[in-house]
Amino acid sequence: MFSSTVRHIDQIAYLKSLGIPVWVPRDFQPPEFEQPCAEEKAEIAQSAAEPQAEAVPEIRLSESPAETAKLDWPALIGMVGNCTACGLHTGRTQVVFGVGNQDADIMVIGEAPGADEDLQGEPFVGRAGQLLNEMLKAIHYPRESVYIANIVKCRPPENRNPQHDEALHCAPYLHRQIELVAPRAILAVGKVAAQNLLQTDLPIGKMRGNQYHYAALNIPVIVTYHPAYLLRSPKEKAKAWQDLKLLRSLLV
Ligand code: SF4
């Protein structure tokens, strides 16, 4: 467990990394995150009261094919490790299955492995991964406490976005991962992850700030920017912080 001081230091470090000014009075007593101050309560209440975005269609990951529906973790890992269902298998160094706590409250879903992930076999490593770790730590869910996966398990060439058919071929694997983890909430990071999970063409700027559901399992989904984008556009980090607080509010 983290002490309140450590929690506060984590938050301050994250806010500073976001470029958000932090003012701390000399006699400041760091609050418990689980007991937000009046201002934070007002922000959370305001987030909850804001009108929801227009309804999105049902997601397409609503059914596991027979081959994956009953698989346990070892069997699923084995099947994905040998998968050649789409063309991405030809360029991979290794499958990037997913990593983390298989009983996690939060499941983080990104789009696809990049070069670092392809080499290391783990999603969200490198600078973007480090920023994701900071983001998670700021809401007191360190990386090892969540489960992290991608829409597709093999690296697309030149780090392009996964194509529609590639995401479709890989969808049953992700669906089974979500079923097995059964998280209390999903954090979809980036446009590709959000659009595939929620089956919409809405731009991410319209999706973030709202609560959706992974319809097949009725799991809340919060959308935020991809950390790689945040590294390129640090001004958007403040919005990501709002998204993280919205996610956190679902879990208290
Ligand atoms: S991306 Fe998914 S569907 Fe395509 S080969 Fe890799 S594991 Fe199979």
Side-chain angles (χ1 to χ4, degrees):
M1 294 295 293
F2 295 94
S3 71
S4 61
T5 301
V6 171
R7 287 172 177 159
H8 181 67
I9 290 172
D10 288 344
Q11 276 191 285
I12 289 179
Y14 176 70
L15 291 171
K16 285 183 175 174
S17 77
L18 298 184
I20 299 172
V22 179
W23 177 80
V24 183
R26 221 175 299 171
D27 59 349
F28 179 79
Q29 296 297 317
E32 290 283 346
F33 192 87
E34 288 77 5
Q35 297 175 344
C37 67
E39 185 181 355
E40 286 175 325
K41 283 179 180 173
E43 282 187 26
I44 291 171
Q46 186 181 356
S47 297
E50 282 174 358
Q52 300 294 295
E54 57 197 277
V56 295
E58 291 286 299
I59 57 171
R60 67 164 165 256
L61 308 182
S62 56
E63 294 180 5
S64 280
E67 313 89 73
T68 57
K70 306 285 185 197
L71 295 183
D72 60 12
W73 282 110
L76 183 63
I77 291 169
M79 176 178 276
V80 176
N82 292 310
C83 180
T84 57
C86 83
L88 293 182
H89 81 277
T90 61
R92 73 187 179 210
T93 303
Q94 59 190 312
V95 163
V96 181
F97 177 80
V99 69
N101 177 5
Q102 295 176 347
D103 295 313
D105 283 345
I106 296 175
M107 188 161 174
V108 177
I109 299 177
E111 60 183 67
D116 292 334
E117 289 80 8
D118 177 66
L119 287 174
Q120 297 185 38
E122 184 168 329
F124 284 98
V125 296
R127 287 183 65 220
Q130 288 170 8
L131 179 55
L132 177 67
N133 295 348
E134 290 301 315
M135 294 164 70
L136 293 169
K137 204 160 85 172
I139 56 168
H140 314 306
Y141 280 87
R143 180 182 177 97
E144 59 271 19
S145 74
V146 308
Y147 193 88
I148 307 175
N150 281 316
I151 294 291
V152 296
K153 315 301 186 197
C154 303
R155 182 195 178 195
E158 310 300 327
N159 289 341
R160 65 161 169 75
N161 290 341
Q163 294 173 349
H164 180 68
D165 65 312
E166 294 161 350
L168 270 181
H169 277 109
C170 223
Y173 302 140
L174 178 61
H175 179 74
R176 186 60 184 149
Q177 285 176 301
I178 298 171
E179 276 186 324
L180 287 168
V181 175
R184 292 173 62 197
I186 292 172
L187 180 66
V189 292
K191 177 187 76 172
V192 172
Q195 290 184 341
N196 276 279
L197 276 173
L198 301 171
Q199 276 299 280
T200 178
D201 292 326
L202 283 173
I204 190 166
K206 285 201 170 180
M207 280 187 278
R208 59 154 300 278
N210 298 285
Q211 179 184 331
Y212 298 91
H213 281 84
Y214 180 72
L217 299 171
N218 197 32
I219 297 171
V221 176
I222 300 299
V223 175
T224 195
Y225 293 118
H226 195 286
Y229 171 75
L230 295 175
L231 289 171
R232 297 192 302 272
S233 306
K235 285 184 178 174
E236 303 287 30
K237 289 179 178 176
K239 292 179 185 172
W241 177 235
Q242 297 300 318
D243 300 332
L244 292 170
K245 287 197 293 184
L246 179 57
L247 174 69
R248 185 70 177 84
S249 74
L250 301 178
L251 302 170
V252 292

